[in-house]
């Protein structure tokens, strides 16, 4: 990526209908959940985060209908639960918004917001962010993208929340199903001023920048061949499908997943039905 104010994937946003139930689902799979967060009234949303290094997973739910969360509500109505958007790390969101405007994209923002955070010692602090979005209709394979500047990293990456029973360490890939993987990968590459790499099985990968996770665009058939024996029921024909997560211990990931875990393609997989519409693939770090 040649954008100066945006680096690789920061976090993946999984839209869920019931926040507390979703948190319980992922906790059963061996993830340590942050305390529940509530965003500003304008955003009307709440979240739980699963902190990794250098990225994370966000379970996001709508608490109050607002204009800001209309796209998220439309996603749930049309697609159901699953990966709705991907955030990049912004070094400077204001400069990043201007940068993509210079590439011809009408950036939305930057927008500031925050949520209260209870720290491990019981004190109350806040996580503060500044984000900007690419235009909502510029969504490769239906996956929206935005960039997030963390103004208070110490209230987000809390060491106690970064230790997981399943050994999860970081994101390796975001899997996106598409009927036209090459076309959708090229679309994303244009948006971030990046490139496309061909995968051995014909899928198309887009490096997100720095040492962060790659986007991988592939057909449902290619996804099925990568992880034979896995049920893909609940995944869309086009859209965010799964997360490949590096773990320090595949055995620990398998044990934590319990009956939901299946060994497939050299990985431990959890079907979308067990993870709010998201295929989880644990691989060795």
């Amino acid at each position: 990526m040649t954008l100066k104010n945006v680096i690789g994937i920061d976090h993946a946003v999984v839209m869920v209908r019931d926040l507390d139930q979703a948190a319980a689902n992922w906790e059963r799979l061996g993830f340590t959940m942050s305390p529940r967060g509530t965003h500003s009234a304008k955003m009307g949303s709440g979240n739980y985060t699963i902190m990794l290094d250098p990225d994370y997973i966000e379970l996001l739910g709508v608490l109050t209908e607002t204009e800001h969360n209309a796209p998220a509500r439309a996603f749930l109505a049309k697609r159901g639960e699953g990966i709705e958007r991907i955030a990049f790390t912004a070094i400077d969101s204001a400069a990043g918004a201007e940068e993509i405007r210079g590439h011809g994209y009408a950036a939305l923002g930057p927008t500031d917001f925050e949520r209260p955070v209870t720290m491990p010692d019981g004190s109350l602090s806040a996580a503060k962010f500044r984000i900007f979005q690419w235009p909502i209709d510029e969504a490769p394979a239906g996956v929206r993208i935005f960039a997030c500047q963390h103004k208070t990293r110490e209230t987000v990456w809390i060491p106690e929340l970064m230790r997981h029973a399943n050994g999860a360490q970081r994101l390796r890939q975001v899997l996106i199903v598409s009927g036209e993987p090459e076309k959708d990968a090229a679309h994303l590459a244009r948006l971030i001023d990046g490139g496309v790499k061909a995968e051995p099985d014909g899928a198309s990968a887009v490096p997100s920048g720095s040492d962060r996770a790659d986007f991988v665009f592939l057909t449902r058939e290619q996804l099925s061949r990568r992880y034979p024996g896995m049920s893909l029921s609940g995944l869309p024909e086009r859209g965010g499908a799964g997360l490949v997560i590096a773990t320090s211990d595949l055995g620990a990931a398998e044990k934590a997943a319990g009956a939901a875990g299946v060994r497939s393609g050299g990985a431990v997989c959890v079907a979308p039905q067990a993870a709010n519409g998201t295929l989880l693939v644990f691989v060795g770090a």
Side-chain angles (χ1 to χ4, degrees), residues 1 8-9 88 140 172-174 176 181-199 203-209 212-217:
M1 185 192 294
I9 288 176
F88 293 85
R172 286 295 184 198
Q173 295 178 336
V174 174
I176 301 173
E182 291 182 16
K183 178 180 177 181
D184 285 322
H187 182 189
L188 175 61
R190 288 193 301 275
L191 293 174
I192 64 172
D193 203 16
V196 180
K197 299 189 304 183
E199 296 270 287
S204 296
V206 178
S208 73
R212 304 295 180 88
D214 289 348
F215 294 86
V216 178
F217 293 82

Side-chain angles (χ1 to χ4, degrees), residues 109-228:
T111 302
D112 291 284
F113 70 99
E114 62 182 74
R115 58 178 169 83
V117 173
T118 301
M119 301 299 286
D121 64 2
S123 64
L124 189 64
S125 187
K128 300 181 180 182
F129 313 89
R130 175 173 289 172
I131 67 170
F132 74 89
Q133 302 178 62
W134 277 258
I136 291 173
D137 58 356
E138 296 283 1
V143 178
R144 290 199 290 152
I145 61 172
F146 69 107
C148 179
Q149 177 185 350
H150 292 273
K151 297 193 284 186
T152 55
R153 293 184 67 85
E154 70 280 0
T155 62
V156 179
W157 276 270
I158 298 172
E160 290 86 344
L161 299 179
M162 296 170 66
R163 294 189 286 269
H164 306 279
N166 57 25
Q169 292 189 325
R170 64 181 299 166
L171 298 176
R172 286 295 184 198
Q173 295 178 336
V174 174
L175 304 173
I176 301 173
V177 292
S178 167
E180 300 178 289
E182 291 182 16
K183 178 180 177 181
D184 285 322
H187 182 189
L188 175 61
R190 288 193 301 275
L191 293 174
I192 64 172
D193 203 16
V196 180
K197 299 189 304 183
E199 296 270 287
D201 63 355
S204 296
V206 178
S208 73
S210 186
D211 64 344
R212 304 295 180 88
D214 289 348
F215 294 86
V216 178
F217 293 82
L218 69 179
T219 64
R220 284 179 68 98
E221 292 73 23
Q222 288 168 331
L223 183 60
S224 182
R225 288 198 296 271
R226 284 192 176 197
Y227 307 108

Side-chain angles (χ1 to χ4, degrees), residues 11 79 96 151 199 233 250:
H11 63 278
R79 147 81 196 267
K151 297 193 284 186
E199 296 270 287
S233 176
L250 270 178

